[in-house]
Amino acid sequence: MSIANFPASLQPIIQQGFLARRFQTGLQSKLGFRTIADRMTFPGRIGQAITETRRGLKAPVKVAADPSQNAGLDNGMTPSSWAVEQYSLGLGLYRDTIDLNMVSEGVGIASQFLANAEAGGKQALATLDLNARDTLYFGSDTPGVLDVGGYLGGNTSVSSALSSASASLHVDDIRGFVNSVTPVGIVAAVSPLNPLVVYVNGTAYNCIGVVSDGSQNVSTAPSGMSGTLQFSANVATTDGVAGAPVIAFSAPAVIRPNGRRTTAGLTAGDTLSFKAVQGAVTKLRRNAVPTIDGLYNCHLSDEQLQGLFDDGQFQNMFRGAYQSREFRQGEVFELMGVRFIPTTEAPQQVLNGVEIQRAIVVGKGALIEGDYVDTGYSDIPDVNAGLKEMHDGICMITRPPLDRLGQIISQSWYWIGGFALPTDVTANPSIISTATNSALKRAVVIESL
């Protein structure tokens, strides 16, 4: 019996003949969402979640004081204070491993040890990047962490038309409606004591509760959850029509070509345009969102990039510039305050027979990454614990053989941390005149075909 008792998926590497004596690198994703995140260290011995607090500003004084009131010990003034807002960041454990028989590995075509290490490292980086992406678009799913949903939250449509006026309305996706920021800056569940203003087909209603469909989920949105919104008053049948937009007062901005009001409203020709990108930049600048190294990042799919290259306004900017780097390379380039970064991981979906693409234009501070400070730590000396390496917050471990023949080692990695979306509710129009009412202001999603 052969000593190379490899799993079936690895048996081709022990073929005889002219098989090349090296492993070639396989296809991999174009990542980049983790680079958006501001890094912070999650301290030890404080539990599994941390609440961070942001300090707001005080509104400017626009009216001069009445001189007749400038009297008494307080000079006619009433003390005021600045507002605060809080967000939570929770820890999660992410890990994987692979075993290697060092004796059997010797009959392979190349070093499987190095290949395992490289594959594990790329898997770890991809895992963190996709977690960053999912938090950015959809919000955190870490147990015990409350947030207001991601940058796709609070923006959905009616899924079941009302036959008569009702205080209950079934919608395609409840993310962004479950929680809201209270007047004192705390994220809490929507309730009669913490209502959320929601615009149904353009009419304002007070949402006082949300019921998820749970296992009966029929949402068409990526990673979405369908459910029912409960209102303090009946929604009119003229508003509760199937497909009508349902948008929270504090929802992040979502831009669609040609003024489409919902994702399902996108039709042929609604491809990404330079006008839409500039619209996203305008919204970020209105909210005074700082740039990332001087520019806003636009993470977009290659399909959206193709639509951008086909856009007439974009082409006019490069008319005659046949040797421009943008058209020759079609990779990362900078234009009009935006850094365009193609990725294979932008959320997509097929809806009504068309493929929806989602770019996101991001400024600084949109995402926070918390790396647990004790990752890789041990109270026991590592003399017999194997090789342990830390790389970019990820711990890579090679465990020595524990079997009787001393042949099988394990190569593992793990990361302990999480991502969070800070809110900017206190940066309202009374503080920044051009600011919007969005709770999440530091990124804008662009949906297109």
Side-chain angles (χ1 to χ4, degrees):
M1 182 177 178
S2 172
I3 65 169
N5 188 21
F6 280 22
S9 61
L10 296 180
Q11 287 180 4
I13 71 173
I14 60 172
Q15 294 176 13
Q16 303 299 315
F18 297 98
L19 196 62
R21 297 192 61 187
R22 64 185 177 90
F23 291 123
Q24 295 183 351
T25 302
L27 297 176
Q28 58 186 11
S29 298
K30 293 181 181 178
L31 308 174
F33 289 100
R34 190 188 179 200
T35 60
I36 297 170
D38 292 338
R39 304 280 288 272
M40 62 169 280
T41 299
F42 192 105
R45 310 198 189 285
I46 64 167
Q48 203 165 328
I50 187 173
T51 300
E52 291 284 340
T53 303
R54 274 185 172 178
R55 173 183 56 82
L57 298 175
K58 297 178 68 174
V61 179
K62 300 179 180 179
V63 180
D66 183 352
S68 65
Q69 300 298 318
N70 188 18
L73 295 177
D74 57 9
N75 296 102
M77 296 184 294
T78 301
S80 64
S81 182
W82 37 264
V84 299
E85 54 188 309
Q86 297 179 333
Y87 64 92
S88 298
L89 190 152
L91 293 180
L93 170 64
Y94 303 86
R95 78 277 192 245
D96 201 8
T97 187
I98 188 170
D99 289 338
L100 173 64
N101 189 307
M102 296 182 293
V103 175
S104 298
E105 189 263 353
V107 302
I109 59 173
S111 173
Q112 191 181 338
F113 178 87
L114 296 179
N116 286 351
E118 181 182 6
K122 290 181 177 179
Q123 179 193 27
L125 292 176
T127 297
L128 268 64
D129 202 78
L130 292 183
N131 273 275
R133 181 205 68 177
D134 289 349
T135 302
L136 193 65
Y137 280 94
F138 312 130
S140 174
D141 60 359
T142 303
V145 173
L146 294 179
D147 66 13
V148 294
Y151 279 91
L152 280 177
N155 199 309
T156 188
S157 59
V158 177
S159 56
S160 298
L162 294 178
S163 57
S164 61
S166 173
S168 299
L169 184 68
H170 194 266
V171 297
D172 186 59
D173 191 3
I174 61 173
R175 290 173 306 183
F177 300 94
V178 177
N179 303 313
S180 68
V181 182
T182 69
V184 294
I186 299 173
V187 178
V190 171
S191 68
L193 298 178
N194 183 38
L196 174 66
V197 176
V198 174
Y199 292 94
V200 181
N201 206 22
T203 303
Y205 297 91
N206 282 326
C207 179
I208 58 174
V210 180
V211 179
S212 169
D213 284 346
S215 61
Q216 305 300 314
N217 179 32
V218 293
S219 176
T220 64
S223 301
M225 174 57 68
S226 60
T228 301
L229 304 185
Q230 306 286 344
F231 296 96
S232 60
N234 286 343
V235 177
T237 55
T238 52
D239 291 327
V241 296
V246 180
I247 303 173
F249 173 77
S250 56
V254 176
I255 293 178
R256 303 179 186 92
N258 302 315
R260 309 300 184 196
R261 298 203 299 167
T262 65
T263 305
L266 293 171
T267 59
D270 290 338
T271 55
L272 182 64
S273 66
F274 190 67
K275 179 180 178 181
V277 176
Q278 284 303 104
V281 170
T282 298
K283 290 185 180 296
L284 294 177
R285 288 175 174 168
R286 282 185 59 189
N287 288 312
V289 176
T291 59
I292 301 173
D293 296 328
L295 300 167
Y296 294 117
N297 282 359
C298 177
H299 297 261
L300 73 170
S301 68
D302 287 295
E303 288 85 354
Q304 285 187 306
L305 187 61
Q306 178 183 345
L308 189 63
F309 284 149
D310 290 339
D311 180 60
Q313 184 179 1
F314 184 87
Q315 291 176 347
N316 286 336
M317 299 187 68
F318 293 94
R319 191 172 298 278
Y322 302 110
Q323 297 300 315
S324 67
R325 179 170 60 90
E326 288 80 0
F327 275 96
R328 282 189 291 110
Q329 298 180 356
E331 286 288 339
V332 178
F333 61 91
E334 300 170 357
L335 180 68
M336 297 291 288
V338 180
R339 181 184 298 109
F340 292 87
I341 306 173
T343 176
T344 57
E345 299 301 333
Q348 303 178 16
Q349 74 177 114
V350 176
L351 184 63
N352 300 330
V354 296
E355 190 171 284
I356 310 298
Q357 309 283 334
R358 290 178 174 86
I360 189 165
V361 184
V362 188
K364 187 174 178 58
L367 186 67
I368 303 294
E369 175 185 334
D371 297 307
Y372 183 48
V373 69
D374 285 337
T375 299
Y377 173 79
S378 174
D379 284 323
I380 303 173
D382 293 337
V383 177
N384 298 312
L387 178 64
K388 187 181 294 184
E389 293 284 341
M390 291 294 298
H391 175 71
D392 203 15
I394 302 166
C395 186
M396 312 289 291
I397 307 102
T398 302
R399 191 190 68 186
L402 298 179
D403 60 304
R404 288 184 174 87
L405 297 179
Q407 296 179 358
I408 302 174
I409 65 172
S410 67
Q411 295 169 264
S412 312
W413 65 267
Y414 77 93
W415 176 73
I416 301 176
F419 294 92
L421 296 174
T423 58
D424 286 289
V425 175
T426 57
N428 54 48
S430 67
I431 303 295
I432 303 173
S433 299
T434 57
T436 66
N437 292 310
S438 298
L440 300 175
K441 293 181 168 68
R442 297 177 183 245
V444 176
V445 173
I446 305 177
E447 293 185 338
S448 71
L449 302 189

